[in-house]
Amino acid sequence: MSATPTLYILYNADASVMGKLSYGYKKLTNKDKDKPTCAACDITHGGLSLDETPQWKAAKKDLVESGAVKDVKQFHRDELDQETKEFVQSQGLHFPMVLAQNEGSGLRSVMSSEELATFKGDPQTFVTKIREQLGGNQSIL
């Protein structure tokens, strides 16, 4: 890979107070454990917490410090810029998801909502797979 990408984690939730309440309700009433309300939220926040888990903070820091990615940015659906909204719509993607972008090039899909669900909220498994997807197999932590 010629350049280090920025990783974008896009949540299946809105950042507003109503968005958080709606997400909490959906999370609490979801009976299908194989299709979580927001698998990205589970990985980074452990589900219903408003704070990132220590495990995610360490994994994210390692991704950047090891040079696997330039940066990790996390956005709710209602925080996306126009370019990202248009990309998601044009590709028919479903929230949550992970995108990547190298400097000077367009966005690309790296991980789908279905793939995110397979990690069952485990940041280390997620990061291992991200490294594989981006072409780097360095170990984490």
Side-chain angles (χ1 to χ4, degrees):
M1 179 173 17
S2 60
T4 306
T6 296
L7 202 65
Y8 296 91
I9 299 174
L10 307 184
Y11 297 119
N12 187 29
D14 292 330
S16 67
V17 172
M18 286 305 296
K20 290 180 187 337
L21 290 173
S22 175
Y23 169 75
Y25 175 77
K26 289 175 187 173
K27 175 87 174 154
L28 292 171
T29 59
N30 181 18
K31 296 186 186 333
D32 188 349
K33 300 302 177 199
D34 291 328
K35 291 182 107 181
T37 304
C38 178
C41 300
D42 294 343
I43 292 166
T44 63
H45 289 72
L48 287 174
S49 175
L50 294 177
D51 296 320
E52 293 179 355
T53 65
Q55 295 85 358
W56 170 245
K57 287 179 183 178
K60 181 170 61 170
K61 180 179 177 186
D62 182 67
L63 271 174
V64 174
E65 288 183 354
S66 70
V69 299
K70 180 178 178 181
D71 196 7
V72 177
K73 298 183 179 187
Q74 299 158 223
F75 294 105
H76 295 88
R77 291 179 304 216
D78 58 347
E79 298 173 319
L80 302 180
D81 63 23
Q82 194 60 36
E83 175 190 8
T84 306
K85 285 179 192 177
E86 289 173 4
F87 176 79
V88 169
Q89 290 173 346
S90 72
Q91 300 298 306
L93 301 173
H94 301 282
F95 291 94
M97 72 192 79
V98 179
L99 306 177
Q101 184 174 35
N102 291 68
E103 197 169 318
S105 64
L107 290 163
R108 68 183 188 277
S109 177
V110 177
M111 202 166 285
S112 69
S113 57
E114 292 81 10
E115 290 173 289
L116 287 167
T118 66
F119 305 126
K120 307 282 187 213
D122 181 19
Q124 289 186 337
T125 306
F126 167 76
V127 168
T128 298
K129 185 65 173 179
I130 284 293
R131 288 180 187 280
E132 290 173 13
Q133 298 279 63
L134 297 176
N137 293 315
Q138 305 96 332
S139 63
I140 178 151
L141 306 179

